[in-house]
Amino acid sequence: TGLANRRGFTTTSDAAIATCRREGLPTSVIVFDLDRFKAVNDGHGHAAGDAVLTGKAGVLRRHLRAGDIAGRLGGEEFAVLCPGLDSEGAAAIAERLLAALQAEVPHPAGPGTMVTASAGIARVAGGDTTAALEAALAAGDRALYAAKETGRDRAVLAPA
């Protein structure tokens, strides 16, 4: 996908979180999971699945703000650190990215079927930067699964 893996994402994010803290700025994280991705791989092959993953990464690169940090956590799960944004600001970015995914990444089944994702958004709290990031990713992941349980193709804020 050309995106950092989880380790690279964490390393780069730690530095950005530390900078935001020094400047008194909030930081939030968005966790994305492609909806029904197993069906893409099973029904259309792994090459089609790889094309969808690469397409999602391209959407992130084209639509994120300068300074946002994107990474692939594993499988079909991606994360974005949004330095300087509270959860509501990050939610607006998540919605924009979900719309771009539908518009820009073709589904291997052809017209009439869209690639969608679900997202969970969480604020990065205080404490050790790595531990705070991991806690925010876990909260974002729980919100992501709430998005999937309530219909998919949506973004859900983690409780504050």
Side-chain angles (χ1 to χ4, degrees):
T1 62
L3 296 177
N5 63 13
R6 186 180 190 103
R7 183 180 309 166
F9 173 78
T10 299
T11 300
T12 307
S13 294
D14 279 350
I17 293 166
T19 299
C20 283
R21 287 180 176 173
R22 280 193 303 276
E23 296 175 4
L25 298 172
T27 307
S28 297
V29 68
I30 309 167
V31 181
F32 291 97
D33 188 80
L34 292 168
D35 295 330
R36 298 180 176 88
F37 184 71
K38 184 176 179 348
V40 170
N41 273 337
D42 291 351
H44 304 281
H46 289 280
D50 289 349
V52 170
L53 291 172
T54 302
K56 171 63 175 175
V59 164
L60 293 175
R61 279 193 292 279
R62 287 188 299 277
H63 293 278
L64 289 176
R65 305 169 307 147
D68 289 342
I69 300 163
R72 182 173 171 206
L73 301 182
E76 68 271 17
E77 191 169 66
F78 296 82
V80 174
L81 185 82
C82 300
L85 288 184
D86 60 15
S87 296
E88 291 78 17
I93 287 178
E95 292 289 350
R96 188 176 77 226
L97 292 168
L98 292 175
L101 177 68
Q102 286 183 17
E104 297 176 21
V105 179
H107 195 286
T113 307
M114 290 184 293
V115 173
T116 63
S118 298
I121 300 102
R123 183 178 162 275
V124 178
D128 173 75
T129 56
T130 301
L133 176 61
E134 289 302 322
L137 288 170
D141 202 50
R142 289 189 297 275
L144 161 70
Y145 281 96
K148 288 190 176 286
E149 290 172 0
T150 57
R152 301 179 193 271
D153 188 29
R154 64 192 65 216
V156 171
L157 288 170

